[in-house]
Amino acid sequence: MKNTFGNNITVTLFGESHMDSIGAVLDGIPAGIKIDTDFIKNQLSKRRPHKNISTSRVEIDEFDIISGVYNDFTTGSPICIIIKNGDKNSNDYNELESKPRPSHADYSAFCKYGKYGVLPGGGHFSGRITAPLVAVGAIAISVLNGMGIKIASHLKRIGNIEDDDFFDFEDNINKLNSLDFPVINESIGLKMQEKIKSIKADNDSIGGIVETLVLGMPSGVGEPWFDSVESLLSHALFSIPSIKAVEFGLGFGFADLTGFDANDSFEIIDGKVLTKTNNNGGINGGITNGNPLMFRVAVKPTPSIQKEQDTVDLDKMSNCKLTIKGRHDPCIAHRVGVVIDSVAAITLLDLLAEKYGTEGIKNAIRTDREDIKA
Amino acid sequence: MKNTFGNNITVTLFGESHMDSIGAVLDGIPAGIKIDTDFIKNQLSKRRPHKNISTSRVEIDEFDIISGVYNDFTTGSPICIIIKNGDKNSNDYNELESKPRPSHADYSAFCKYGKYGVLPGGGHFSGRITAPLVAVGAIAISVLNGMGIKIASHLKRIGNIEDDDFFDFEDNINKLNSLDFPVINESIGLKMQEKIKSIKADNDSIGGIVETLVLGMPSGVGEPWFDSVESLLSHALFSIPSIKAVEFGLGFGFADLTGFDANDSFEIIDGKVLTKTNNNGGINGGITNGNPLMFRVAVKPTPSIQKEQDTVDLDKMSNCKLTIKGRHDPCIAHRVGVVIDSVAAITLLDLLAEKYGTEGIKNAIRTDREDIKA
Amino acid sequence: MKNTFGNNITVTLFGESHMDSIGAVLDGIPAGIKIDTDFIKNQLSKRRPHKNISTSRVEIDEFDIISGVYNDFTTGSPICIIIKNGDKNSNDYNELESKPRPSHADYSAFCKYGKYGVLPGGGHFSGRITAPLVAVGAIAISVLNGMGIKIASHLKRIGNIEDDDFFDFEDNINKLNSLDFPVINESIGLKMQEKIKSIKADNDSIGGIVETLVLGMPSGVGEPWFDSVESLLSHALFSIPSIKAVEFGLGFGFADLTGFDANDSFEIIDGKVLTKTNNNGGINGGITNGNPLMFRVAVKPTPSIQKEQDTVDLDKMSNCKLTIKGRHDPCIAHRVGVVIDSVAAITLLDLLAEKYGTEGIKNAIRTDREDIKA
Amino acid sequence: MKNTFGNNITVTLFGESHMDSIGAVLDGIPAGIKIDTDFIKNQLSKRRPHKNISTSRVEIDEFDIISGVYNDFTTGSPICIIIKNGDKNSNDYNELESKPRPSHADYSAFCKYGKYGVLPGGGHFSGRITAPLVAVGAIAISVLNGMGIKIASHLKRIGNIEDDDFFDFEDNINKLNSLDFPVINESIGLKMQEKIKSIKADNDSIGGIVETLVLGMPSGVGEPWFDSVESLLSHALFSIPSIKAVEFGLGFGFADLTGFDANDSFEIIDGKVLTKTNNNGGINGGITNGNPLMFRVAVKPTPSIQKEQDTVDLDKMSNCKLTIKGRHDPCIAHRVGVVIDSVAAITLLDLLAEKYGTEGIKNAIRTDREDIKA
């Protein structure tokens, strides 16, 4: 099950960066869901490089839904979306066949596959493969939205510049989903963009932290032990290239706290059981408790930098220098939020399917959502 | 696949804290591996409560291997280990049926299962279920050891007291595996124990960070995307109750670094490709690169504290106070390392099985390891 | 996933014939289902040897539900049932360590596991392991019954003696479930028993065919391709030792028919879409069509016979003779029906869970079934 | 996991008969395997309609390998093959939207998906989807061939005309793989073709039996219980549309035999353990025993016939007549053999991967097979 993930709702990925096309298969979506191709386009545009602060590789991301959708409605069969690879300069990669880029997948790919798995543009390891993941993820997000569940991510931190915390959840989510550079405080966002530009000017790259909020998840979803919400979400999140840390609620912040300070006390407000704080990020015992889900991931600085670095020549088995050519991102933290939303949505929809079944998911779509319900 | 995890080497968990017994099934271990029951005992003793700084519930953890082992050798069939539940005071839990403990699984279990899933001692949510996980994990660790792979965890931090970093890997691992309270710097360990005692005296609890080192993993193991080493390890780690954060290598530390500072340059030493640093914790592109694996988890403070807390009465749907009875741990960070080692070992063995097959795993056991090889 | 089967509702098997105990774990059953231990006992008694026509090994099959059930109701956690191995004569098996029994698993087990996997009584290969499968299967059957779905199997054929066809489905099922020797026509059943006795007297064994009927399955369950109802049922059925053929509806009878003669025409009766015939056994395109499910399996003659046979001595690598000692069944076709019902029920419940979710399954239990609904 | 099958080597299917294209993803194939596109073409041509005795729909089956293969060698990443849908007449299907074809998937698809899943040409239920399955299956067959394992199927029976049994295994396999109409006795094959023509002239269709032989499978592959060779093969075989029965070795023939007559006695020939007969079709206890694998499937008559049939109008909920238009096969038994070989090869390769790992599979390819080994 290397490139397939999920139980009832599954996603399968395929494709290499510099071959003809890449794609993903989303399986298990109930029949009769209306597909909004504009929403898919919009999600893909959020993942696309941003002028000035991203790679200059232009990815048009024209996608074809080649199965599973007929006359704009899902058929219940697997949905395959294909995206053509356009603007690619494989020549930039000739040198890399024998000289692995530090902190990139080149060397470990070589250890696993030999020279056959070390391909121009990173092949199957390329962040480019997240494009079809975002395309099928958009469908999962649509279905969640129809069920009253919303999701958005913001750049919590780039270098040492930090965005504000979520404060007005519903509003924050709506606003973030409309932004190309998703921050809560836009003036901080401008500083982050300046930071990225200066890092780019220095031929270097920078890491960051992305924080995600999910509103509206019903309580009682997930399992103790191996299918805990944290287990499944982290499984999906760590699949995204460059993500090296995942924390839920206070996460590492729990280490220094006492139970008395960290525990989320219960209280009843308007006849509903709520917690006074949400330090556990909406999950206890692996199961949702009705609070918003909140998690953060760390994104490492893009390993492909244009400064000279030390590496080795695997053919000659000697030390050497490497200056990476090609067009690369000085930061991907601002592009990865939509990928995070996508894999999280697929994972949460799968967990909901366990509880409610594909039938239940379809029935849970609010009847006023004519945009997605047949 | 709620309580079963893995592809070729799988583990299945079952049992409730206050019923007759709990257990685990480990499947896929090749036939002809010698089982060292003393090692299993020893691993279980590491998980057991420590005098003064743990719960006073005495868990003898007498285990029975009821299948899969015959005359001390594995048969190739699933290995089921059962542990009797001994010293339990279910009466301590009467009040909890309707009053969920803050930050514990009680309320989310109630949301999922209704009153049927809210059981004395936390039922299937209890940390007690990690005992059989450690027992079968000991077998996985034995097999890894036979292949030349070693694993150990230390308490990196309890409250704000921090242990030294790993420095002499082989030595550190050997020493940690012999300690009840696993720290690299034992004088820091004494301070940590004092901290726990004072927290206990205050009827409170405290969180911590555990750091794990794996030596000897071959390169080229794992997959890009959904079966990345990070994905599978985090999936397993987040299954352990109270773990709320997982990071590999620098983890969240990557956020503030530039690519130039963070990248692990390659160099050749003694004819081997190595990296000058190991910021990626031994994994690039989801695949091992031959370096030691290094990861850290955050353990939240035990939610069951004896201070009075705010909660609700689910029967009366009213706010109320709760003072938890029963015997609870003021800290589990010092007990959880062996659980982490166990699930990590099962996960890594499963990944090795993908590459080498069950046949290859058996063959990879060093011929001088007569203690585990037939 | 060697000894675990299923997606949402899973079963895990473990145990060896001549060790202390054997067991099974059933996971995914919703919380709040009442467990009827008498029904489990009754199902186990159907699997047990029958006086005169079975092995003289007395299996009391006392079972312990060691997890997942509390005060007679399911908790939502995995249900583990353990059965002690009682009356066993391992000495009968000494010779077999090096002399594989023809058509038994001994030799292929030796090829896979070496001598470590060739155990007294057939070890994990023993039909005895079907006892815990029947025990947990009884729970699945209970849940199906609560949803209005009924299942039963009859001995369609033993040697060349054939039972009548199903004619009054509801009645047939009720009657078969009350019989120890499950036939529709009891006078034919007596002839079959005479046949078995005479085969036993001749130190030989005999094969048979078992036919199963499932009433009440909703339409629209199952998937095209890999999760077709036929695919999943056959997967489960071929797991049962000695089953070598599975057919649905007319099965091999389709080979000689034309489409015109074989097709099941539709008609509307009382406002319902029905078919005039049920040649497809209730399944089209891998999905249930609302008709009764009907399938047949072939059971090979028990390979352990007491007549002298040709085999080889694997130690000496020479040809030799073998006369099998121990107590063996002259026929298992009359004992295997309840095993078939059990695995079929688990598989169908899993398919229903995909459609309706665990929540939907619980809700589908008829409110008048107070015996199983909380 | 609806449209994905396998553990280490997996296949994912997608596509609908009358949409733009259909495809399959094969994952887990080791890197560095040479891909022979001519062999894929040749396998596809065997599946294609045969002049006079098949549908007149012309399927060119031009395929694109859009991922996983670079410069003719596998990269280790998932291999996606896409086939364009060419010659399609969706108008032929207008009437069928509301009038389900007897014994076809139309009605059960309607029950599961509503009108959204009832598509021209049968949509995802169409036998057309087997084309990409054959394409990726050809890669699996190549790898098996490289390991010294051969596979072929023949038409054992069409209507009541029966082909000879396998007699000279190696020769039979080689010859069958070169034939468009795969029979052992070609004069019988001519009679079968006459039969199909006369059935076609009668606007009817006919069923058949296909028998498959696998030579060279190593012993000790497969598992007792749920991953038995029979379980996994039958799971894959019943995924193929129109297959309603599967038997291994003597299959249903076991029912009338005694153990003494049915058992496969062992003997030593040239220092090897062999059996005198192969009634069990090469599998005991779910595990290969070193003998050739042999199994048979029943193929039902194509349900789409041009004779008038009784059906219902789901819009009007009334009985009605139906005369199916479109171009359909009078028999698919002669086209399905290559599909059977394909799914069997994928399944067996997956089982081999469990034992030997992806590494072991690559190493097992004979060094003289330069055509497929790097």
Side-chain angles (χ1 to χ4, degrees), chain C residues 336-360:
Chain C
V336 87
V338 67
V339 183
I340 290 169
D341 295 350
S342 298
V343 300
I346 293 168
T347 305
L348 294 174
L349 194 58
D350 188 26
L351 278 163
L352 288 160
E354 187 284 329
K355 184 165 188 177
Y356 300 109
T358 42
E359 200 81 350

PDB file of all heavy atoms in Angstrom, chain C residues 336-360:
ATOM      1  N   VAL C 336     -18.740 -28.252   8.966  1.00  0.00           N
ATOM      2  CA  VAL C 336     -18.154 -27.018   8.450  1.00  0.00           C
ATOM      3  C   VAL C 336     -19.201 -25.943   8.136  1.00  0.00           C
ATOM      4  O   VAL C 336     -18.867 -24.772   7.990  1.00  0.00           O
ATOM      5  CB  VAL C 336     -17.265 -27.340   7.215  1.00  0.00           C
ATOM      6  CG1 VAL C 336     -18.086 -27.356   5.928  1.00  0.00           C
ATOM      7  CG2 VAL C 336     -16.118 -26.340   7.092  1.00  0.00           C
ATOM      8  N   GLY C 337     -20.479 -26.356   8.077  1.00  0.00           N
ATOM      9  CA  GLY C 337     -21.523 -25.386   7.740  1.00  0.00           C
ATOM     10  C   GLY C 337     -21.542 -24.188   8.681  1.00  0.00           C
ATOM     11  O   GLY C 337     -21.649 -23.027   8.258  1.00  0.00           O
ATOM     12  N   VAL C 338     -21.386 -24.459   9.957  1.00  0.00           N
ATOM     13  CA  VAL C 338     -21.434 -23.362  10.934  1.00  0.00           C
ATOM     14  C   VAL C 338     -20.204 -22.459  10.817  1.00  0.00           C
ATOM     15  O   VAL C 338     -20.267 -21.262  11.106  1.00  0.00           O
ATOM     16  CB  VAL C 338     -21.614 -23.933  12.365  1.00  0.00           C
ATOM     17  CG1 VAL C 338     -20.387 -24.703  12.798  1.00  0.00           C
ATOM     18  CG2 VAL C 338     -21.929 -22.824  13.353  1.00  0.00           C
ATOM     19  N   VAL C 339     -19.101 -23.037  10.351  1.00  0.00           N
ATOM     20  CA  VAL C 339     -17.904 -22.220  10.113  1.00  0.00           C
ATOM     21  C   VAL C 339     -18.145 -21.306   8.906  1.00  0.00           C
ATOM     22  O   VAL C 339     -17.804 -20.120   8.913  1.00  0.00           O
ATOM     23  CB  VAL C 339     -16.662 -23.105   9.879  1.00  0.00           C
ATOM     24  CG1 VAL C 339     -15.421 -22.232   9.719  1.00  0.00           C
ATOM     25  CG2 VAL C 339     -16.471 -24.122  10.991  1.00  0.00           C
ATOM     26  N   ILE C 340     -18.763 -21.874   7.889  1.00  0.00           N
ATOM     27  CA  ILE C 340     -19.102 -21.094   6.688  1.00  0.00           C
ATOM     28  C   ILE C 340     -20.044 -19.948   7.053  1.00  0.00           C
ATOM     29  O   ILE C 340     -19.828 -18.797   6.655  1.00  0.00           O
ATOM     30  CB  ILE C 340     -19.742 -22.024   5.632  1.00  0.00           C
ATOM     31  CG1 ILE C 340     -18.673 -22.966   5.079  1.00  0.00           C
ATOM     32  CG2 ILE C 340     -20.427 -21.224   4.530  1.00  0.00           C
ATOM     33  CD1 ILE C 340     -19.217 -24.104   4.239  1.00  0.00           C
ATOM     34  N   ASP C 341     -21.090 -20.268   7.806  1.00  0.00           N
ATOM     35  CA  ASP C 341     -22.017 -19.212   8.233  1.00  0.00           C
ATOM     36  C   ASP C 341     -21.268 -18.112   8.985  1.00  0.00           C
ATOM     37  O   ASP C 341     -21.563 -16.917   8.828  1.00  0.00           O
ATOM     38  CB  ASP C 341     -23.098 -19.788   9.166  1.00  0.00           C
ATOM     39  CG  ASP C 341     -24.005 -20.781   8.456  1.00  0.00           C
ATOM     40  OD1 ASP C 341     -23.928 -20.893   7.210  1.00  0.00           O
ATOM     41  OD2 ASP C 341     -24.796 -21.464   9.148  1.00  0.00           O
ATOM     42  N   SER C 342     -20.304 -18.521   9.808  1.00  0.00           N
ATOM     43  CA  SER C 342     -19.573 -17.552  10.636  1.00  0.00           C
ATOM     44  C   SER C 342     -18.735 -16.608   9.794  1.00  0.00           C
ATOM     45  O   SER C 342     -18.804 -15.386   9.955  1.00  0.00           O
ATOM     46  CB  SER C 342     -18.664 -18.301  11.625  1.00  0.00           C
ATOM     47  OG  SER C 342     -19.444 -19.094  12.493  1.00  0.00           O
ATOM     48  N   VAL C 343     -17.918 -17.159   8.891  1.00  0.00           N
ATOM     49  CA  VAL C 343     -17.059 -16.265   8.103  1.00  0.00           C
ATOM     50  C   VAL C 343     -17.901 -15.439   7.137  1.00  0.00           C
ATOM     51  O   VAL C 343     -17.591 -14.279   6.857  1.00  0.00           O
ATOM     52  CB  VAL C 343     -15.910 -17.001   7.362  1.00  0.00           C
ATOM     53  CG1 VAL C 343     -15.001 -17.715   8.350  1.00  0.00           C
ATOM     54  CG2 VAL C 343     -16.409 -17.909   6.274  1.00  0.00           C
ATOM     55  N   ALA C 344     -18.985 -16.036   6.621  1.00  0.00           N
ATOM     56  CA  ALA C 344     -19.850 -15.277   5.723  1.00  0.00           C
ATOM     57  C   ALA C 344     -20.495 -14.115   6.474  1.00  0.00           C
ATOM     58  O   ALA C 344     -20.583 -12.993   5.956  1.00  0.00           O
ATOM     59  CB  ALA C 344     -20.916 -16.178   5.112  1.00  0.00           C
ATOM     60  N   ALA C 345     -20.918 -14.361   7.705  1.00  0.00           N
ATOM     61  CA  ALA C 345     -21.570 -13.304   8.489  1.00  0.00           C
ATOM     62  C   ALA C 345     -20.597 -12.170   8.780  1.00  0.00           C
ATOM     63  O   ALA C 345     -20.948 -10.990   8.667  1.00  0.00           O
ATOM     64  CB  ALA C 345     -22.118 -13.882   9.798  1.00  0.00           C
ATOM     65  N   ILE C 346     -19.368 -12.506   9.133  1.00  0.00           N
ATOM     66  CA  ILE C 346     -18.372 -11.459   9.418  1.00  0.00           C
ATOM     67  C   ILE C 346     -18.122 -10.637   8.151  1.00  0.00           C
ATOM     68  O   ILE C 346     -18.065  -9.406   8.190  1.00  0.00           O
ATOM     69  CB  ILE C 346     -17.052 -12.096   9.931  1.00  0.00           C
ATOM     70  CG1 ILE C 346     -17.274 -12.733  11.308  1.00  0.00           C
ATOM     71  CG2 ILE C 346     -15.940 -11.063   9.986  1.00  0.00           C
ATOM     72  CD1 ILE C 346     -16.127 -13.634  11.773  1.00  0.00           C
ATOM     73  N   THR C 347     -18.008 -11.325   7.022  1.00  0.00           N
ATOM     74  CA  THR C 347     -17.735 -10.638   5.759  1.00  0.00           C
ATOM     75  C   THR C 347     -18.894  -9.738   5.351  1.00  0.00           C
ATOM     76  O   THR C 347     -18.690  -8.593   4.930  1.00  0.00           O
ATOM     77  CB  THR C 347     -17.487 -11.691   4.655  1.00  0.00           C
ATOM     78  OG1 THR C 347     -16.443 -12.569   5.090  1.00  0.00           O
ATOM     79  CG2 THR C 347     -17.091 -11.031   3.347  1.00  0.00           C
ATOM     80  N   LEU C 348     -20.116 -10.235   5.472  1.00  0.00           N
ATOM     81  CA  LEU C 348     -21.279  -9.440   5.075  1.00  0.00           C
ATOM     82  C   LEU C 348     -21.466  -8.244   6.013  1.00  0.00           C
ATOM     83  O   LEU C 348     -21.815  -7.148   5.582  1.00  0.00           O
ATOM     84  CB  LEU C 348     -22.538 -10.312   5.042  1.00  0.00           C
ATOM     85  CG  LEU C 348     -22.526 -11.415   3.964  1.00  0.00           C
ATOM     86  CD1 LEU C 348     -23.748 -12.325   4.117  1.00  0.00           C
ATOM     87  CD2 LEU C 348     -22.476 -10.819   2.561  1.00  0.00           C
ATOM     88  N   LEU C 349     -21.207  -8.453   7.294  1.00  0.00           N
ATOM     89  CA  LEU C 349     -21.329  -7.355   8.252  1.00  0.00           C
ATOM     90  C   LEU C 349     -20.305  -6.272   7.918  1.00  0.00           C
ATOM     91  O   LEU C 349     -20.598  -5.065   8.008  1.00  0.00           O
ATOM     92  CB  LEU C 349     -21.115  -7.887   9.668  1.00  0.00           C
ATOM     93  CG  LEU C 349     -21.533  -6.977  10.809  1.00  0.00           C
ATOM     94  CD1 LEU C 349     -23.012  -6.616  10.726  1.00  0.00           C
ATOM     95  CD2 LEU C 349     -21.251  -7.648  12.149  1.00  0.00           C
ATOM     96  N   ASP C 350     -19.122  -6.692   7.506  1.00  0.00           N
ATOM     97  CA  ASP C 350     -18.083  -5.735   7.119  1.00  0.00           C
ATOM     98  C   ASP C 350     -18.537  -4.934   5.896  1.00  0.00           C
ATOM     99  O   ASP C 350     -18.365  -3.714   5.838  1.00  0.00           O
ATOM    100  CB  ASP C 350     -16.793  -6.510   6.816  1.00  0.00           C
ATOM    101  CG  ASP C 350     -15.604  -5.588   6.598  1.00  0.00           C
ATOM    102  OD1 ASP C 350     -15.613  -4.472   7.121  1.00  0.00           O
ATOM    103  OD2 ASP C 350     -14.669  -6.008   5.900  1.00  0.00           O
ATOM    104  N   LEU C 351     -19.136  -5.600   4.935  1.00  0.00           N
ATOM    105  CA  LEU C 351     -19.641  -4.909   3.751  1.00  0.00           C
ATOM    106  C   LEU C 351     -20.774  -3.946   4.110  1.00  0.00           C
ATOM    107  O   LEU C 351     -20.870  -2.841   3.560  1.00  0.00           O
ATOM    108  CB  LEU C 351     -20.136  -5.926   2.715  1.00  0.00           C
ATOM    109  CG  LEU C 351     -19.053  -6.544   1.831  1.00  0.00           C
ATOM    110  CD1 LEU C 351     -19.564  -7.808   1.151  1.00  0.00           C
ATOM    111  CD2 LEU C 351     -18.593  -5.535   0.781  1.00  0.00           C
ATOM    112  N   LEU C 352     -21.623  -4.360   5.024  1.00  0.00           N
ATOM    113  CA  LEU C 352     -22.700  -3.473   5.472  1.00  0.00           C
ATOM    114  C   LEU C 352     -22.123  -2.254   6.191  1.00  0.00           C
ATOM    115  O   LEU C 352     -22.637  -1.131   6.059  1.00  0.00           O
ATOM    116  CB  LEU C 352     -23.666  -4.234   6.391  1.00  0.00           C
ATOM    117  CG  LEU C 352     -24.553  -5.265   5.679  1.00  0.00           C
ATOM    118  CD1 LEU C 352     -25.108  -6.282   6.667  1.00  0.00           C
ATOM    119  CD2 LEU C 352     -25.696  -4.568   4.927  1.00  0.00           C
ATOM    120  N   ALA C 353     -21.030  -2.470   6.937  1.00  0.00           N
ATOM    121  CA  ALA C 353     -20.396  -1.358   7.655  1.00  0.00           C
ATOM    122  C   ALA C 353     -19.842  -0.339   6.676  1.00  0.00           C
ATOM    123  O   ALA C 353     -19.852   0.862   6.944  1.00  0.00           O
ATOM    124  CB  ALA C 353     -19.295  -1.873   8.568  1.00  0.00           C
ATOM    125  N   GLU C 354     -19.369  -0.814   5.541  1.00  0.00           N
ATOM    126  CA  GLU C 354     -18.862   0.141   4.545  1.00  0.00           C
ATOM    127  C   GLU C 354     -19.988   1.058   4.110  1.00  0.00           C
ATOM    128  O   GLU C 354     -19.801   2.257   3.962  1.00  0.00           O
ATOM    129  CB  GLU C 354     -18.288  -0.631   3.344  1.00  0.00           C
ATOM    130  CG  GLU C 354     -17.587   0.224   2.304  1.00  0.00           C
ATOM    131  CD  GLU C 354     -18.542   1.011   1.400  1.00  0.00           C
ATOM    132  OE1 GLU C 354     -19.672   0.519   1.146  1.00  0.00           O
ATOM    133  OE2 GLU C 354     -18.167   2.109   0.949  1.00  0.00           O
ATOM    134  N   LYS C 355     -21.152   0.508   3.908  1.00  0.00           N
ATOM    135  CA  LYS C 355     -22.271   1.319   3.416  1.00  0.00           C
ATOM    136  C   LYS C 355     -22.904   2.166   4.511  1.00  0.00           C
ATOM    137  O   LYS C 355     -23.190   3.337   4.313  1.00  0.00           O
ATOM    138  CB  LYS C 355     -23.326   0.402   2.791  1.00  0.00           C
ATOM    139  CG  LYS C 355     -24.488   1.185   2.168  1.00  0.00           C
ATOM    140  CD  LYS C 355     -25.343   0.337   1.250  1.00  0.00           C
ATOM    141  CE  LYS C 355     -26.344   1.222   0.508  1.00  0.00           C
ATOM    142  NZ  LYS C 355     -27.155   0.471  -0.439  1.00  0.00           N
ATOM    143  N   TYR C 356     -23.141   1.546   5.669  1.00  0.00           N
ATOM    144  CA  TYR C 356     -23.931   2.228   6.694  1.00  0.00           C
ATOM    145  C   TYR C 356     -23.094   2.769   7.854  1.00  0.00           C
ATOM    146  O   TYR C 356     -23.620   3.526   8.680  1.00  0.00           O
ATOM    147  CB  TYR C 356     -25.009   1.280   7.231  1.00  0.00           C
ATOM    148  CG  TYR C 356     -25.962   0.792   6.175  1.00  0.00           C
ATOM    149  CD1 TYR C 356     -25.955  -0.521   5.724  1.00  0.00           C
ATOM    150  CD2 TYR C 356     -26.869   1.678   5.586  1.00  0.00           C
ATOM    151  CE1 TYR C 356     -26.828  -0.961   4.746  1.00  0.00           C
ATOM    152  CE2 TYR C 356     -27.753   1.244   4.601  1.00  0.00           C
ATOM    153  CZ  TYR C 356     -27.724  -0.073   4.183  1.00  0.00           C
ATOM    154  OH  TYR C 356     -28.587  -0.504   3.212  1.00  0.00           O
ATOM    155  N   GLY C 357     -21.827   2.370   7.944  1.00  0.00           N
ATOM    156  CA  GLY C 357     -21.018   2.790   9.083  1.00  0.00           C
ATOM    157  C   GLY C 357     -21.366   1.986  10.317  1.00  0.00           C
ATOM    158  O   GLY C 357     -22.403   1.318  10.376  1.00  0.00           O
ATOM    159  N   THR C 358     -20.508   2.049  11.315  1.00  0.00           N
ATOM    160  CA  THR C 358     -20.808   1.341  12.556  1.00  0.00           C
ATOM    161  C   THR C 358     -22.067   1.950  13.189  1.00  0.00           C
ATOM    162  O   THR C 358     -22.884   1.236  13.764  1.00  0.00           O
ATOM    163  CB  THR C 358     -19.625   1.431  13.548  1.00  0.00           C
ATOM    164  OG1 THR C 358     -19.108   2.755  13.518  1.00  0.00           O
ATOM    165  CG2 THR C 358     -18.524   0.470  13.146  1.00  0.00           C
ATOM    166  N   GLU C 359     -22.198   3.239  13.037  1.00  0.00           N
ATOM    167  CA  GLU C 359     -23.395   3.927  13.551  1.00  0.00           C
ATOM    168  C   GLU C 359     -24.650   3.373  12.866  1.00  0.00           C
ATOM    169  O   GLU C 359     -25.646   3.060  13.523  1.00  0.00           O
ATOM    170  CB  GLU C 359     -23.258   5.431  13.241  1.00  0.00           C
ATOM    171  CG  GLU C 359     -24.105   6.326  14.054  1.00  0.00           C
ATOM    172  CD  GLU C 359     -23.475   6.587  15.425  1.00  0.00           C
ATOM    173  OE1 GLU C 359     -22.476   5.900  15.769  1.00  0.00           O
ATOM    174  OE2 GLU C 359     -23.985   7.433  16.132  1.00  0.00           O
ATOM    175  N   GLY C 360     -24.582   3.255  11.535  1.00  0.00           N
ATOM    176  CA  GLY C 360     -25.735   2.785  10.774  1.00  0.00           C
ATOM    177  C   GLY C 360     -26.105   1.363  11.131  1.00  0.00           C
ATOM    178  O   GLY C 360     -27.286   1.001  11.171  1.00  0.00           O
TER     179      GLY C 360
END
